[in-house]
Structures are given as C-alpha cells and as structure tokens.
Amino acid sequence: MDIDVLKKVPVREQEPQVRAKNFEEVCLGYNMEEAQNEASRCLKCKNARCVTGCPVSINIPGFIKEVQDGNIEEAYKIISESSALPAVCGRVCPQESQCEGKCVRGVKGEPISIGKLERFTADWAREHGISPKKPEKTNGRKVAVIGSGPSGVTCAGDLAKLGYEVTIFEALHEPGGVLVYGIPEFRLPKEGVVKPEIDNLKKLGVKIETNVVIGKSTTIDELMEEEGFEAVFVGSGAGLPKFMGIPGENANGVFSANEYLTRSNLMKAFQEGYDTPIVAGKKVAVVGGGNVAMDAARTALRLGAEVHIVYRRSEEELPARVEEVHHAKEEGIIFDLLTNPIEILVDDNGWVKGMKCIRMELGEPDASGRRRPVEIPNSEFELELDTVIMSLGTSPNPLISSTTKGLEINKHKCIIAEAENGQTSKEGVFAGGDAVTGAATVILAMEAGKAGAKGIHEYLSKK
C-alpha cells in the first residue's frame, strides 16, 4: 500500500460506545503489515534525537530498522538491552513528550509512532515465547529490592543480568506495583501483559516474595544484618494519597483514586463474580486532572456511572496525556473545568449527596509556570453526586524511612538519593522512583531503577 510518510499509520481502537461498557483494551495495536509500514517512515537518523528523549536510552532507530525488515526477534533483543518492560512502556509511556517529541520526522509531519512499534515488538515476542536469557552463573552476592513496581523490576532485572542473586520484597499479594493496582485493565491488561513481563524477570533468576511489608514484617537493617543482603534498593513508590482538607471529606462515598483503582484493578472488582465491594455510584465526580484522574473516571464510567471531572484550571493546563483526555471525552465523561470543590455535602446517614463548587478564572502564572486559578466571587453552585474520588496526587508512605536508621528524607517524606546512582544517606542502601521523586511516570521510575542497579554494581564491585 502507498503510505504518506508525513502521517502516522493509524492504529485501530475499540469504538467509544462499545468500550465505554467493557474493560477490554481500548487500543488494539498494529499488525505486522501496519508495523512495517510505520517503521518505513523512520529516517534512521545517525545521532538520533529520539534516543536522547528516552529516559532508558533504547536504541530506537536500531529496533525500528529490524521491525521494517521483519526481524521482530532481533528488534525485541535490541529493546531488551535497555528496557525490562517493553510491552508496558509501549502502552503507558508519555511518548509524545519524550522519544516522539524529539523525532525529526515530526518537525514537518507526524512523528514516528515509536510507542506503538515498541508495543508491537514486545507483544510479538510474548506471543512467540521469546524471553530474556538467564546468566550462566551467579556471583553469589545477595541484593534485596523493595517493591515490584517499575523501578524495582528494572533494578532487579539489570542486577540479575550482571549475575547478582536478587530477591524482591512486595507488600501486596500480586507483584507489579502500580502496573497491577494503579493502571486500569483497559489501558494495561494484567494477565496478558503485566504478568508475562514479571515472569520474564523470574526467568532471569529473580526471586519475588509477596505480602512482605518492609517496616512491619522485617526492616532494612534486619535484611542487611541478619539475612545477608549486601545492598538494598528501595523502590516502594508513593502510595499515600493526598486530600483537599475541605468539610465533608470524611463522608462515606469519598475515595482516594488510589483506593478506588486498587479495588477495581488488583482486587478484580470490575469482574462479575468477584465479591470485592466497590461503590459503583450513579453520579461520580473525580477531582483532579492527571492521568490517574482519567483512569478513575473511565473506570467509574465502565461501572455504570455518569462521571464528571472537576478540575480547577482550564483544558490547556490538564496534566493528563492528550490521548487520555481524548479517550475520556469520546467515552462521554463530562469535564467541569475552571471549577474547584469547596465542600462535600453529606446526608443524615453520613453518605455523600453532592459537592459545593466555585467557578475559577486563570490569573498570573505561579511557580509551576501554569496560570494560577483564582476564585470568581459569588459563583458557587452544587453538583448532585453519590461518590467523590479525590485524585490530587500521592506521596511516599513514611513506613520505610521511619523504621530505617540513618535514612534521610526531605520535607515531602521522599527519600533523598543521588540521581545518577541512587545512593542514599545510608551505606549500601539505594533508592529510586516515586519513593524519591514523589508521584511521576513509569518510565522515569525505570530510569531510576537502572541508575540504582548501576550504583549497586559499582558499590559492590569495590567491596
């Protein structure tokens, strides 16, 4: 077929009115012909800017050339040198602001769909039973990794490839961290995509122990002093939700997006036949404008609710990915922008009955560079609701820092660690991902996991 080199090969998706009622994946991905056509648009630049835009520095032109030539196994090997989670990243990375944002093809036309090609390659490898190879022998040195989210998994994978004996300790009953509890099924299928990526890690020789809460079940000091771990990487994420502190916030029917998504994703509340309770809600408001807010809103919609996104700035300032906002609108989610909640209204039985809001206008830019929302006097109004989901970001749980001697944290309760090697204030302890930065993206956590693995390898090589 003739292709227009300036335009992306379109990707097939479920129709909005169909997908709004199911939890199947929205985006259907490329087939072989589509992937090869899209790959043929790539200019295969020598000093490729896309690679500088990738936090884990995948050789993007290299893998795309192999896709174009139909050597998908070779393409997968190239990606796997840099990334432990290609099928995940191809789906959830903000490519538009990273690799694709730097793509030279995108100067005059549309950038190459690097994410969709990565996803195609990883899915093909999984369907054909191709997985990374385990090192011949280990070096007998034990490293502990706390948390099995993107930073922990990446760190563990890199260390296992170097021959370390790595054990991951995960607090929840299923490994995967935010990939299993935070991101909905319709964006990231758990059985089909996340589980096989975790299984690839086990094939590298990594041990995973679930239901271990570090700071309760055991401590970092005990792991190092009694269990013989020579180094520890803390990738415990940011699981502590933030709230607004407005009246009525303790009412029944108010959730953090974290809890709401965890119930749905990890505890399978979205599947019929599971007895995890979840308030489906008839009229739901999600407060916030990030990717997590979109995830919670689109989950509530699929559980049968009318859903409003309440956000205090305008559409231009929405932090969520453009694709997520576009999908949410197509599915029928109502956006109440320039609107801020001031009180949650509660009935006599302690349940949410509505939310009092005030209209906002944008003033001068604040420290974040975004225009600051200012209340419009006497513009209060009420929304009739039965469920409110607060999606205002998260911070790290202080459990690990408070039970580890000599581990320094900053005023946001984030662990202080060097960006280039993950080194913390405590010898032999390294950290990365949301536990260090506060809530951020999967790929930035993976970058931190790679840095931590490098730091641990350098540290133990000197010991």
Side-chain angles (χ1 to χ4, degrees), residues 4-47:
D4 178 351
V5 293
L6 294 179
K7 284 209 159 60
K8 290 182 174 188
V9 174
V11 67
R12 290 161 292 121
E13 291 180 344
Q14 276 197 75
E15 287 299 318
Q17 60 278 22
V18 176
R19 69 178 192 242
K21 296 184 169 60
N22 70 44
F23 276 86
E24 308 295 311
E25 195 168 9
V26 168
C27 176
L28 304 173
Y30 284 148
N31 60 27
M32 181 68 105
E33 185 191 1
E34 290 164 340
Q36 286 182 286
N37 285 337
E38 181 60 25
S40 73
R41 296 176 57 230
C42 174
L43 300 166
K44 322 290 185 294
C45 309
K46 282 280 178 287
N47 297 322

Side-chain angles (χ1 to χ4, degrees), residues 430-463:
F430 296 74
D434 290 5
V436 170
T437 56
T441 60
V442 167
I443 190 75
L444 290 174
M446 290 172 64
E447 178 182 29
K450 287 192 96 60
K454 185 171 133 271
I456 288 171
H457 181 51
E458 285 165 5
Y459 167 73
L460 291 178
S461 302
K462 290 189 192 121
K463 260 182 87 168

Side-chain angles (χ1 to χ4, degrees), residues 163-328:
Y164 291 94
E165 293 180 10
V166 184
T167 303
I168 293 180
F169 296 98
E170 167 54 52
L172 296 172
H173 61 278
E174 227 19 93
V178 71
L179 306 174
V180 294
Y181 72 73
I183 301 174
E185 191 68 13
F186 52 84
R187 279 217 297 141
L188 187 63
K190 308 297 167 252
E191 286 297 312
V193 176
V194 180
K195 200 162 175 291
E197 303 263 81
I198 300 288
D199 288 344
N200 281 342
L201 199 63
K202 293 179 182 165
K203 288 176 190 160
L204 288 171
V206 174
K207 290 197 207 66
I208 302 180
E209 292 195 25
T210 53
N211 299 312
V212 180
V213 180
I214 302 295
K216 281 211 167 125
S217 321
T218 181
T219 65
I220 288 180
D221 292 320
E222 285 166 359
L223 289 176
M224 297 180 87
E225 288 157 21
E226 294 162 31
E227 309 268 336
F229 288 100
E230 294 186 61
V232 176
F233 178 80
V234 183
S236 51
L240 210 58
K242 294 178 182 163
F243 286 92
M244 288 184 76
I246 56 175
E249 216 165 13
N250 295 335
N252 296 323
V254 179
F255 295 86
S256 68
N258 240 33
E259 178 191 357
Y260 189 78
L261 288 167
T262 302
R263 278 176 187 265
S264 175
N265 298 334
L266 185 63
M267 299 159 90
K268 308 276 194 289
F270 67 88
Q271 274 183 17
E272 280 186 29
Y274 266 80
D275 53 9
T276 307
I278 190 162
V279 175
K282 291 281 169 278
K283 290 195 76 171
V284 177
V286 178
V287 181
N291 290 327
V292 177
M294 299 304 141
D295 285 347
R298 295 172 68 201
T299 297
L301 177 92
R302 283 161 171 74
L303 293 170
E306 172 190 307
V307 185
H308 294 250
I309 286 213
V310 176
Y311 180 63
R312 63 197 189 125
R313 290 182 158 102
S314 72
E315 185 163 344
E316 250 107 81
E317 288 83 19
L318 279 170
R321 291 179 69 188
V322 173
E323 182 180 25
E324 299 302 308
V325 176
H326 169 68
H327 280 157

Side-chain angles (χ1 to χ4, degrees), residues 247-255 279 281-285 306 308 343-357 381-389:
E249 216 165 13
N250 295 335
N252 296 323
V254 179
F255 295 86
V279 175
K282 291 281 169 278
K283 290 195 76 171
V284 177
E306 172 190 307
H308 294 250
E343 183 185 352
I344 291 167
L345 307 170
V346 188
D347 69 14
D348 298 340
N349 301 321
W351 285 85
V352 172
K353 66 172 184 181
M355 190 161 72
K356 194 176 193 182
C357 300
F381 68 101
E382 290 180 9
L383 280 173
E384 196 182 310
L385 303 164
D386 56 17
T387 309
V388 175
I389 300 170

